[in-house]
Amino acid sequence: ILNVEQSPQSLHVQEGDSTNFTCSFPSSNFYALHWYRWETAKSPEALFVMTLNGDEKKKGRISATLNTKEGYSYLYIKGSQPEDSATYLCAFHTGTASKLTFGTGTRLQVTL
Amino acid sequence: EPEVTQTPSHQVTQMGQEVILRCVPISNHLYFYWYRQILGQKVEFLVSFYNNEISEKSEIFDDQFSVERPDGSNFTLKIRSTKLEDSAMYFCASSRTHGGTDTQYFGPGTRLTVL
């Protein structure tokens, strides 16, 4: 059974703060790691697909890094805004199966 | 931008009743998926579907569940006799290819409440 964990479970920051969360996954059988942003009542939005050790990807104020040898990925948000409030999900893919195995999610709340 | 749509957004049913959840995947996608999230738990995989057949299913996806692509656009999940523990948010997703580097695009979900 694949175990994908995320920390912290929830986070409350002030507007303008920078923040980061962690996704931990099995380092064996790694193929890809997906990050999603999910706002309540909306579709989970794909942020990044990461495959290579040392990968770093960026989308606006959000960036992510990947360490496949030790089995973790960090998601960073620079200068958080209230519209960044959402649950951030990571999902692991082994490449041999079609499914994504999700982490528990980190719920971010950004207040003024 | 193309998106995955799901209907209904919320379904309430009595235990033992059949429900059908509907999804319209992105039009040029070939792989389709159902996931669910029970409140407070992780999003978990149910089934994947390609070329009109199930390509993978989880232990959750027992004989009470079935999937179908009845026409060129819809993808459905049927639960034959709902149980209380089937209450969850059900997500449909689609992707162009099977590969793990291809994004799975998710719909907004159907919240199923079994009473």
Side-chain angles (χ1 to χ4, degrees), chain A:
Chain A
I1 296 177
L2 295 172
N3 201 23
V4 181
E5 299 294 337
Q6 290 185 246
S7 62
Q9 207 168 15
S10 65
L11 196 53
H12 189 165
V13 302
Q14 299 289 316
E15 183 183 13
D17 288 350
S18 292
T19 186
N20 65 86
F21 351 114
T22 307
C23 173
S24 302
F25 52 85
S27 53
S28 58
N29 297 319
F30 175 84
Y31 192 77
L33 190 82
H34 297 239
W35 279 101
Y36 287 87
R37 178 177 176 277
W38 180 28
E39 286 182 72
T40 305
K42 294 186 178 178
S43 302
E45 174 197 353
L47 290 174
F48 306 112
V49 180
M50 308 187 76
T51 55
L52 298 175
N53 185 45
D55 236 357
E56 183 169 344
K57 297 206 172 181
K58 192 174 178 182
K59 185 176 183 178
R61 292 178 293 96
I62 305 177
S63 61
T65 60
L66 180 69
N67 184 324
T68 60
K69 295 189 188 310
E70 295 182 39
Y72 65 83
S73 175
Y74 293 139
L75 189 81
Y76 300 91
I77 302 179
K78 185 177 176 183
S80 303
Q81 299 296 310
E83 57 265 31
D84 296 328
S85 297
T87 296
Y88 291 82
L89 297 165
C90 68
F92 178 84
H93 199 291
T94 64
T96 55
S98 53
K99 67 181 183 183
L100 292 173
T101 300
F102 281 85
T104 45
T106 293
R107 186 170 179 177
L108 174 67
Q109 189 173 357
V110 183
T111 52
L112 296 171

Side-chain angles (χ1 to χ4, degrees), chain B residues 29 39 43 93:
Chain B
H29 287 187
L39 192 63
V43 175

